[in-house]
Amino acid sequence: MTTTDDRSLHDRSLQEFGYRQELHRSLGRYASFAAGFSFISVLTTVFQFFAFGYSFGGPVFFWAWPAVLLGQLAVAACFAELAARYPISGAIYQWSSRLSTPAFGWFAGWIMVIGQIVVVAAAALALQMVLPALWSGFQLIGHDPSPVSADGAANAAVLGVVLLVLTTLVNIMDNRVMSAINRIGVTAEIIGAALIVVLLLTHAKRSPGITFHTGAATQNGLFGALLVGSFTAAYVMIGFDSAGEMSEETHRPRRTAPRTILTALGAAGLLGGLVVLGGLLAAPSLTDGHLAVDGLSYVLTSSLGDGVGRVLLADVVVAIAVATLAIQTAACRMLFSMARDGRLPFSHRLARVNPRTGQPSAPALVVGLLAAALLLLNFTSPDAFLAIGTTCIVMLYLAYAMVTGPLLLRRLRGRFTANGTDEAGEPLFSLGRWGLPVNAIALLYGLAMTVNLAWPRAAVYDPEGGHWYFQWFTVLFLAATLAAGAAYRAYRARTALVDPETAEAVPA
């Protein structure tokens, strides 16, 4: 229960950064954890990208998982420090602006919010991996449910748009409704993921030693296969910063957010790794081609039987819906935070908070409409599925690096300290002497993975040939995002709608 003293403390904390409390502060520790965990959404992302990882890496692609987890834990540890010091909505934008310059921070926020909108679209597409396997009636277009077929791609877009309508409505309602749905969904996902792990491991048909086999998938060498196979883990383990994104709606955020950022990633990393391992061990066959096309849905229904398999798939549907909701919420908070500083087109509308619901309604509509528009790409070609998925990861990885990079420079210059206390009077979360090496690892890992994900491999992005724009989609989309951002800033400066020297100043 929030006391008057707590509210006064939070109001003063925001005032230190030049803001007033407008969002409703109603989230506790579990709700904060749920915000990060539901964005990661193990069941959504593992089911969505397992087939892709296996098709390029074979069983050995499992080992990309712990490598990505260690890299992302380094990033999350840096973010936990920042969440304790800057408990503000629009985390990536706010952190980068305060660690570097307002202009650099603006581009970090711009890249992040565009990336989040693409993630919303990618998460909504995941329904196609599950709903038709649950009931054939969900295949509304054509007969082939595979997301890499023309029928499956088009159907995925239709299902995704329906889901976006629902999540947009929830994001306009009271934030307590959104939080309640989030908590219930995350609880169901954790229980479901744990059951899936137990059932798959107890139905294992082979030993864990199979994870050292490459199979026939690694035609371009083991290292190349692992680089592409890492896409699965990279796509799963993003969004843990959402616990910081919701800081202005969280009780005692300086104490709560750092811990929930780390626990959300740790829990998701452990559960996801076990689900991947269980799928490899319990699959009826590793060579019949099903794993590389149908993924984990095939393993559940064939190994556990239609009854149990369909119940677990229904749980996955819940996880996908809640993940899409959580990602859209995070994107809304980023838009709200940047608009509140007058840094976006139509800022006065995007920064408006409904005093009754405590929700910024306009950002929810913008994110929903733009994500739905991206889904229309799926009607052009099945290759759009992977292009959209990979693009969103690259955008978020780059935005993360635009935080860990300036943070590392601050450490090297001795300008990042552990001063201050949290709401309980305890010292703020700090990595101490481990801060410099962990930060360096986080930055190097993030930059290397960004290049790996964005590399225009024809075999990955345009396997059928004839669609050069899909092969280069990620690079082109990122270039277009930067160009649009630069054009907007130039327009604002030229028309003198704001004074770049004063209006963009962000308190340190």
Side-chain angles (χ1 to χ4, degrees):
M1 183 174 179
T2 306
T3 66
T4 302
D5 288 342
D6 283 338
R7 286 194 294 269
S8 177
L9 176 65
H10 295 318
D11 289 346
R12 290 198 305 272
S13 177
L14 267 185
Q15 288 169 6
E16 292 175 10
F17 299 111
Y19 304 118
R20 61 189 178 89
Q21 185 73 49
E22 292 183 278
L23 303 175
H24 291 182
R25 200 176 286 277
S26 60
L27 309 185
R29 184 167 183 174
Y30 187 69
S32 177
F33 165 82
F37 189 92
S38 56
F39 192 126
I40 300 171
S41 189
V42 170
L43 293 186
T44 300
T45 46
V46 171
F47 272 77
Q48 191 172 13
F49 270 77
F50 180 95
F52 172 81
Y54 185 83
S55 67
F56 276 91
V60 77
F61 99 100
F62 166 80
W63 292 105
W65 191 276
V68 171
L69 176 58
L70 289 175
Q72 288 296 69
L73 280 172
V75 177
C78 294
F79 285 5
E81 287 187 304
L82 294 171
R85 288 155 182 78
Y86 307 113
I88 318 172
S89 291
I92 298 299
Y93 155 68
Q94 295 284 353
W95 298 342
S96 184
S97 296
R98 286 169 165 75
L99 293 170
S100 56
T101 65
F104 189 84
W106 187 90
F107 273 103
W110 176 250
I111 291 170
M112 184 68 181
V113 75
I114 299 299
Q116 286 173 325
I117 291 170
V118 183
V119 179
V120 174
L125 286 174
L127 282 179
Q128 183 62 26
M129 298 295 296
V130 183
L131 280 181
L134 186 62
W135 178 50
S136 60
F138 286 117
Q139 185 64 34
L140 305 174
I141 298 177
H143 304 286
D144 189 349
S146 172
V148 296
S149 69
D151 289 350
N155 197 68
V158 173
L159 295 176
V161 169
V162 172
L163 176 58
L164 287 174
V165 171
L166 297 176
T167 58
T168 300
L169 290 174
V170 173
N171 263 307
I172 293 175
M173 299 169 68
D174 193 295
N175 74 339
R176 288 172 295 185
V177 175
M178 176 271 297
S179 176
I181 293 174
N182 226 6
R183 293 196 306 272
I184 293 170
V186 165
T187 302
E189 180 172 5
I190 292 174
I191 293 172
L195 282 173
I196 288 173
V197 168
V198 171
L199 290 171
L200 289 179
L201 292 180
T202 54
H203 286 75
K205 293 177 170 54
R206 54 193 66 85
S207 72
I210 193 65
T211 58
F212 293 99
H213 294 195
T214 60
T218 56
Q219 300 174 1
N220 296 321
L222 176 61
F223 185 66
L226 285 174
L227 286 178
V228 179
S230 68
F231 285 26
T232 301
Y235 182 60
V236 173
M237 287 181 270
I238 54 174
F240 44 85
D241 54 293
S242 290
E245 197 73 65
M246 305 297 289
S247 287
E248 289 185 34
E249 295 155 87
T250 303
H251 300 309
R252 306 193 173 205
R254 292 182 188 272
R255 184 170 183 81
T256 300
R259 289 159 177 77
T260 52
I261 285 173
L262 291 169
T263 53
L265 177 60
L270 176 61
L271 273 175
L274 290 174
V275 169
V276 171
L277 178 62
L280 292 171
L281 301 187
S285 171
L286 299 179
T287 58
D288 62 3
H290 279 292
L291 268 187
V293 176
D294 303 318
L296 285 175
S297 298
Y298 150 74
V299 179
L300 286 187
T301 54
S302 59
S303 297
L304 306 181
D306 271 354
V308 175
R310 289 179 190 277
V311 169
L312 294 174
L313 284 179
D315 188 65
V316 176
V317 173
V318 173
I320 293 171
V322 172
T324 306
L325 171 65
I327 300 165
Q328 186 175 7
T329 302
C332 291
R333 298 306 178 267
M334 181 66 74
L335 277 177
F336 163 75
S337 184
M338 295 183 72
R340 179 172 56 181
D341 288 347
R343 311 289 291 275
L344 292 173
F346 310 107
S347 285
H348 65 290
R349 291 188 178 275
L350 293 173
R352 190 177 300 163
V353 176
N354 186 317
R356 181 180 61 82
T357 65
Q359 297 275 66
S361 302
L365 293 171
V366 170
V367 174
L369 288 172
L370 291 178
L374 278 172
L375 292 182
L376 299 181
L377 285 174
N378 246 37
F379 284 100
T380 65
S381 170
D383 293 336
F385 169 79
L386 184 60
I388 292 172
T390 307
T391 297
C392 68
I393 317 172
V394 170
M395 301 285 281
L396 266 63
Y397 265 78
L398 182 56
Y400 287 175
M402 294 177 75
V403 173
T404 56
L407 178 58
L408 181 59
L409 286 177
R410 285 244 175 170
R411 291 187 198 276
L412 292 171
R413 295 169 180 169
R415 295 171 55 195
F416 187 79
T417 65
N419 296 337
T421 58
D422 62 25
E423 294 87 355
E426 299 293 328
L428 294 177
F429 178 89
S430 175
L431 293 174
R433 62 181 180 178
W434 290 100
L436 187 60
V438 169
N439 198 161
I441 291 170
L443 177 60
L444 292 174
Y445 160 78
L447 292 175
M449 187 59 78
T450 299
V451 173
N452 175 42
L453 292 166
W455 200 263
R457 302 172 177 91
V460 174
Y461 298 114
D462 189 23
E464 302 298 325
H467 299 92
W468 65 269
Y469 44 87
F470 280 128
Q471 180 181 344
W472 291 88
F473 185 85
T474 299
V475 177
L476 293 172
F477 191 91
L478 178 57
T481 298
L482 293 172
Y488 171 69
R489 289 178 60 83
Y491 168 77
R492 290 292 297 266
R494 187 172 60 252
T495 56
L497 293 178
V498 296
D499 179 1
E501 296 299 322
T502 57
E504 293 192 356
V506 179

